[in-house]
Amino acid sequence: VQLQASGGGLVQAGGSLRLSCAASGRTFSSYAMGWFRQPPGKEREFVAAISWSGGNTIYADSVKGRFTISRDDAKNTVYLQMNSLKPEDTAVYYCAADPRGRFHSGSYSRSAYVYWAQGTQVTVSS
């Protein structure tokens, strides 16, 4: 599986962005998909994930109620809709795929995800 993330950019606080992650391969629909981010000078952190069926989603507390993860298996694409953006959301955002498909105790951890896209920069100005 190859992943390509896009949609990052510069936005003012309170604004919105939608990130996309396009996947190659016919097994995309069986994978759980996640978004992570790495703020400047900090470790990469979990943002959100969606199960293989799209029926389950999980979010970091810092983005609950503002970000929404979704997937379109017909397009082999997962999205991250980001609303009410804050300067602290500034980071490089990465999407990743977990072949296990269903959520498990490690779904919040980078180590659960086998395939990674290159990052896309999101900058939120105050």
Side-chain angles (χ1 to χ4, degrees):
V1 175
Q2 291 186 323
L3 305 175
Q4 185 169 4
S6 62
L10 173 65
V11 63
Q12 289 188 332
S16 299
L17 279 176
R18 188 177 79 158
L19 305 183
S20 299
C21 178
S24 64
R26 293 176 289 179
T27 54
F28 171 80
S29 61
S30 67
Y31 292 174
M33 298 297 296
W35 286 96
F36 288 75
R37 67 186 182 187
Q38 188 163 11
K42 296 185 179 181
E43 295 290 317
R44 194 173 301 186
E45 62 186 22
F46 173 81
V47 175
I50 187 165
S51 63
W52 70 276
S53 66
N56 293 293
T57 57
I58 51 177
Y59 296 92
D61 288 345
S62 59
V63 307
K64 278 181 183 176
R66 299 188 299 123
F67 290 12
T68 303
I69 188 171
S70 61
R71 65 189 300 157
D72 184 339
D73 289 342
K75 295 182 179 180
N76 275 16
T77 301
V78 63
Y79 303 99
L80 185 68
Q81 178 67 44
M82 307 186 294
N83 299 328
S84 303
L85 283 161
K86 304 175 181 180
E88 50 264 43
D89 294 318
T90 294
V92 178
Y93 282 72
Y94 300 87
C95 67
D98 177 1
R100 279 170 283 193
R102 300 178 187 274
F103 289 152
H104 49 88
S105 59
S107 291
Y108 291 88
S109 172
R110 290 178 293 174
S111 62
Y113 297 84
V114 175
Y115 305 103
W116 289 82
Q118 87 294 346
T120 185
Q121 176 71 48
V122 172
T123 303
V124 184
S125 63
S126 57

